[in-house]
Amino acid sequence: MRILLTGGCGFIGSAFVRMALSRGHEVTNLDKLTYAGNPANVADVADLPGYRFVHADIADPQAVAGALEGVDVVVNMAAESHVDRSILDPAAFPMTDVVGTAVLLDQARRAGVARFVQVSTDEVYGSIPEGAFRETDPLEPSSPYSASKAGGDLQALAWHRTYGMDVVVTRGSNTYGPRQYPEKLIPLFVTNALDSEPLPVYGDGQQIRDWINVDDHCAGVFAALEHGVAGEVYNVGGGNERTNLEITERILTLTGRDATLIRHVSDRPGHDRRYALATDKLRRLGWAPQVAFPDGLAGTVAWFQANRDWWEPIKSGAYRAYYDAQYGGREVPGS
Ligand code: NAD
Ligand code: DAU
């Protein structure tokens, strides 16, 4: 397939680029290179004949139309992706995650692509105290990020209903692995621990996330791309629920640090307590997660230990200003 992938210089997108090329597909990677987009993430494949890079915004119809020439299918991973940034400054989120998705959908429809995969998130469902979300459950997003993703997700389904476009939506759970920007829980805590810096745990740390390895997430998107039914939604979850404190303790052990680094800070506003996904629908397409969490987390920590030259430059400059705005003055006394 000739795939137009958006957001391929980000965390999951760059893993998807590598997987697609290794499976013999051609990839055009369209990326705006926001703070989260890093050309180093695809440096190892940049010179391969099946790879092409287009520096553009998914909300730019002309640039998108040009990139769509000769393309068979679209996988939309481009997004503003961080919940905390959406709380600090929401403006960019609907621009990319809603408007950009609509522009991309419409240009893809006009170009007559065979399939459009919208990469969405389990956060569109909101929080679930017990059991697991099914694809038919209502969307009740809590944050500006998840509300924006829900907007993109629903537009993709509307393009199927209105125009008969071949659209598939995936809703993935919390993803971890190499090259994740160090603003998210696991890469932030791993890199802070390696530098013996405090680990800021929100609230009581008993919130639950369902963690999936990045390659398992990409394989799930591929299963939906290759075998999904048009107009359908597929949950992509690891079946691997952990509290944030358990994640924190595992990271401390793997980095050889101790609990004195833990700092309880004030909770995230609108913080979802628990996510969990039923994944039998995607499993019926032949997909199942392959990476056991202890192995995947150990491999991720080893990658960050071995690649300081990747993350040390990121954690300076504009990142420091973000970090101070996000964490300054939040420590709970006595924690
Ligand atoms: P990321 O923040 O690491 O990367 C996002 C990429 O999109 C960056 O390369 C950025 O430059 C690019 N981008 C942003 N706005 C753009 C625009 N307007 N036009 C073109 N490119 C743009 O994100 P990620 O964690 O790799 O997530 C990828 C996708 O998967 C997102 O759609 C996200 O919502 C979804 N998702 C992520 C997770 C997770 O845990 N990380 C889980 C489920 C779903
Ligand atoms: O569930 C899928 C979603 O997972 C994706 O759609 C998002 O793109 C991705 O960012 C992620 O969202 P979360 O908000 O769940 O991930 P984050 O890594 O920001 O936080 C995970 C949990 O850890 C959450 O309960 C908040 C908590 N946390 C996070 C940070 C950054 C802390 O306790 N301290 C922190 O410093």
Side-chain angles (χ1 to χ4, degrees):
M1 287 181 285
R2 291 168 299 182
I3 302 172
L4 176 66
L5 171 72
T6 69
C9 292
F11 161 51
I12 303 174
S14 61
F16 190 87
V17 167
R18 266 183 291 282
M19 187 174 284
L21 292 171
S22 73
R23 292 181 179 199
H25 304 295
E26 291 179 21
V27 179
T28 297
N29 170 15
L30 184 147
D31 198 299
K32 185 180 176 182
L33 298 179
T34 67
Y35 77 92
N38 186 349
N41 290 349
V42 286
D44 54 333
V45 298
D47 295 328
L48 294 181
Y51 177 80
R52 184 168 74 107
F53 177 66
V54 176
H55 185 192
D57 187 330
I58 59 167
D60 176 346
Q62 281 161 353
V64 167
L68 277 163
E69 280 172 27
V71 159
D72 299 317
V73 296
V74 175
V75 177
N76 183 26
M77 289 200 185
E80 290 292 338
S81 70
H82 191 38
V83 172
D84 292 324
R85 286 186 193 255
S86 83
I87 295 168
L88 279 176
D89 188 2
F93 286 75
M95 292 313 294
T96 287
D97 301 3
V98 186
V99 176
T101 298
V103 169
L104 187 64
L105 276 163
D106 213 47
Q107 292 303 322
R109 176 179 71 85
R110 291 167 195 274
V113 302
R115 170 152 286 186
F116 186 109
V117 179
Q118 172 65 9
V119 176
S120 185
T121 169
D122 62 359
E123 297 203 11
V124 297
Y125 297 117
S127 192
I128 188 166
E130 54 192 31
F133 284 118
R134 309 203 70 84
E135 288 84 350
T136 47
D137 283 338
L139 306 191
E140 296 183 31
S142 302
S143 71
Y145 162 70
S146 50
S148 300
K149 289 295 291 184
D153 181 323
L154 291 175
Q155 281 183 106
L157 294 172
W159 255 253
H160 171 70
R161 291 192 196 119
T162 301
Y163 303 111
M165 187 170 164
D166 187 319
V167 168
V168 173
V169 174
T170 62
R171 295 185 183 143
S173 67
N174 280 68
T175 307
Y176 71 94
R179 301 178 188 81
Q180 187 168 27
Y181 194 85
E183 63 189 354
K184 311 276 166 61
L185 178 73
I186 288 180
L188 174 64
F189 280 20
V190 170
T191 54
N192 277 15
L194 289 173
D195 279 348
S196 299
E197 295 285 340
L199 310 186
V201 172
Y202 297 164
D204 63 5
Q206 294 301 329
Q207 305 85 0
I208 290 172
R209 296 291 182 267
D210 170 7
W211 292 95
I212 186 170
N213 181 270
V214 65
D215 291 327
D216 283 332
H217 189 162
C218 290
V221 173
F222 251 111
L225 169 63
E226 293 179 329
H227 308 299
V229 174
E232 294 293 321
V233 177
Y234 295 90
N235 288 341
V236 188
N240 174 50
E241 291 181 41
R242 312 276 172 174
T243 67
N244 292 340
L245 267 182
E246 181 189 343
I247 299 290
T248 307
E249 283 155 10
R250 282 178 178 268
I251 289 171
L252 288 170
T253 302
L254 286 164
T255 54
R257 305 298 192 266
D258 64 38
T260 58
L261 288 182
I262 295 177
R263 298 285 187 284
H264 285 272
V265 300
S266 59
D267 210 348
R268 171 187 279 176
H271 199 173
D272 288 330
R273 194 72 178 165
R274 174 173 175 265
Y275 298 144
L277 290 176
T279 56
D280 40 303
K281 190 172 173 185
L282 187 63
R283 286 172 187 263
R284 285 197 293 276
L285 300 184
W287 171 89
Q290 303 296 315
V291 182
F293 184 68
D295 300 340
L297 187 63
T300 300
V301 171
W303 187 89
F304 279 95
Q305 272 170 326
N307 289 279
R308 276 184 173 271
D309 58 338
W310 182 89
W311 56 268
E312 281 181 342
I314 292 174
K315 293 186 85 173
S316 63
Y319 178 93
R320 291 299 336 160
Y322 160 74
Y323 200 85
D324 292 345
Q326 173 61 23
Y327 294 101
R330 282 180 64 172
E331 194 167 325
V332 176
S335 77

